[in-house]
Amino acid sequence: MSGVPSSVVEAGRIIKVNHAGEHGAVKIYAGQIATARLRARGLLPQLAEFKAHEERHRSIFDKELTRRGLPRCRSYWLCGAGGYVLGFVTGLMGARSIAAATVAVERVVLRHLRQQLLQIGFADPEATAAISSIVGEEQLHHDQSANDLRHAGMIDRVIGSVISAATESVIWIGTRA
């Protein structure tokens, strides 16, 4: 990519990783919806809403990849498979585990999105716009789930720590794929 500014190359890499992450998020909610029917029926409308948001986010990054002529991140399918397993398992564990998973994932994602916006700045307005367009809904997912988890117990904190570490790892892998 000689002649292409490094900030544009970096923005493309970020868009690829975010696209894969949004695919993972769609699959987390799909797995949770599949099993929440058994253990957390009351969360089904919220999970469907969150999944719709993540599908829109994935579409935003997909359009940006297409516009740039970039392929998907090689971690795309890993994010999807891992996300579905995470969603399925936390859904089986019930409403508190669903909330703990969402808080843990969104805490990491929001930190990364904010770092990306600082990193890209004004160098790539399209990437900045794509990332900025999803921050509000990601914050909503975090805040609503944190409210559902007001009195987190030890198991909720353990689940959250493990999921946060896994989310960081998947992002790290994606940035190198």
Side-chain angles (χ1 to χ4, degrees):
M1 294 193 134
S2 65
V4 177
S6 63
S7 59
V8 173
V9 172
E10 181 63 17
R13 184 186 63 76
I14 286 170
I15 295 298
K16 287 172 73 168
V17 170
N18 289 358
H19 179 249
E22 295 301 332
H23 181 61
V26 168
K27 296 302 183 178
I28 289 171
Y29 290 119
Q32 288 176 337
I33 288 168
T35 53
R37 297 175 199 289
L38 305 172
R39 299 283 321 269
R41 281 191 163 294
L43 284 181
L44 288 172
Q46 177 180 314
L47 294 173
E49 176 187 2
F50 288 3
K51 182 176 178 270
H53 292 165
E54 301 297 357
E55 288 168 339
R56 189 178 66 75
H57 301 171
R58 181 178 61 189
S59 176
I60 289 168
F61 291 120
D62 186 58
K63 287 176 186 162
E64 194 58 27
L65 286 178
T66 300
R67 188 184 72 74
R68 293 166 185 262
L70 294 173
R72 289 179 176 157
C73 185
R74 290 185 295 209
S75 69
Y76 183 84
W77 298 112
L78 171 65
C79 289
Y84 191 84
V85 169
L86 173 63
F88 191 87
V89 170
T90 56
L92 282 176
M93 294 171 71
R96 294 184 63 81
S97 292
I98 290 170
T102 302
V103 168
V105 169
E106 296 297 5
R107 181 182 317 116
V108 171
V109 167
L110 285 163
R111 185 168 36 78
H112 278 276
L113 293 174
R114 290 182 178 116
Q115 288 172 344
Q116 291 169 356
L117 289 170
L118 290 173
Q119 184 178 356
I120 296 170
F122 297 108
D124 191 321
E126 292 85 1
T128 298
I131 295 165
S132 296
S133 72
I134 72 166
V135 171
E137 287 175 341
E138 301 292 6
Q139 187 69 55
L140 173 75
H141 301 174
H142 174 278
D143 294 350
Q144 282 187 344
S145 297
N147 188 49
D148 293 342
L149 198 61
R150 282 184 302 273
H151 305 291
M154 178 59 96
I155 189 71
D156 303 316
R157 287 190 291 275
V158 170
I159 289 169
S161 294
V162 169
I163 292 171
S164 289
T167 305
E168 287 285 359
S169 297
V170 169
I171 291 170
W172 184 85
I173 290 167
T175 61
R176 279 130 186 95

